[in-house]
Amino acid sequence: MSQGKIVDYKNKISVINTKLSRLKDLYVDGLLDKDTYKKDYVRLQEELGELARLSMQQPTVPAAMNRILSDVDDFMLTYKILPKIKKRELWQSLIRSIELGERPGRGKPYTDITVKFY
């Protein structure tokens, strides 16, 4: 999975379940032989299992983030009215780590700051 990209596994799983249903219909209607049905069924079940595994590994987007993303016209207003705990939840769900680079001396600003996202 590429960094920062959220994949819609729920939709992909739904598509495969639809294919499984259609495959069964073709077999029941006699339009598909048993060997072809078994081969395709096993392949689709493996894809389904892989998608389920990948979906469990993907970080979830919190409800606060969904509200902000869906409010294209007034992001700042939506963010400002979020309770402090929801703002923290939002940032913690998006940022994996913050790394501070070298500091030239006491009281001086850091030279490099790296933010890594999920």
Side-chain angles (χ1 to χ4, degrees), residues 62-107:
M65 183 62 182
N66 281 332
R67 270 202 325 250
I68 289 172
L69 290 174
S70 66
D71 193 8
V72 176
D73 294 329
D74 208 350
F75 166 82
M76 288 307 295
L77 178 62
T78 302
Y79 182 78
K80 285 178 184 177
I81 64 173
L82 284 176
K84 191 174 188 174
I85 194 159
K86 291 295 183 183
K87 288 178 184 177
R88 184 179 319 127
E89 178 185 316
L90 169 67
W91 293 115
Q92 288 176 343
S93 69
L94 297 175
I95 298 173
R96 181 185 304 259
S97 66
I98 299 174
E99 298 171 4
L100 303 175
E102 293 293 317
R103 194 171 177 180
R106 190 178 180 117

Side-chain angles (χ1 to χ4, degrees), residues 6-114:
I6 302 294
V7 178
D8 185 4
Y9 289 111
K10 190 175 183 179
N11 185 46
K12 289 184 176 199
I13 288 171
S14 176
V15 167
I16 290 180
N17 280 326
T18 300
K19 287 181 180 182
L20 280 167
S21 179
R22 289 180 180 169
L23 181 66
K24 183 182 95 177
D25 290 343
L26 289 172
Y27 177 69
V28 169
D29 290 343
L31 300 172
L32 207 58
D33 64 84
K34 192 172 187 176
D35 290 335
T36 303
Y37 170 78
K38 283 182 179 181
K39 183 181 70 167
D40 290 346
Y41 179 83
V42 167
R43 180 182 51 80
L44 289 170
Q45 286 294 337
E46 287 172 355
E47 286 181 36
L48 204 54
E50 179 66 11
L51 288 173
R53 185 186 67 76
L54 290 171
S55 71
M56 296 300 287
Q57 294 176 346
Q58 179 170 271
T60 58
V61 177
M65 183 62 182
N66 281 332
R67 270 202 325 250
I68 289 172
L69 290 174
S70 66
D71 193 8
V72 176
D73 294 329
D74 208 350
F75 166 82
M76 288 307 295
L77 178 62
T78 302
Y79 182 78
K80 285 178 184 177
I81 64 173
L82 284 176
K84 191 174 188 174
I85 194 159
K86 291 295 183 183
K87 288 178 184 177
R88 184 179 319 127
E89 178 185 316
L90 169 67
W91 293 115
Q92 288 176 343
S93 69
L94 297 175
I95 298 173
R96 181 185 304 259
S97 66
I98 299 174
E99 298 171 4
L100 303 175
E102 293 293 317
R103 194 171 177 180
R106 190 178 180 117
K108 304 278 183 174
Y110 287 93
T111 56
D112 293 313
I113 299 175
T114 304

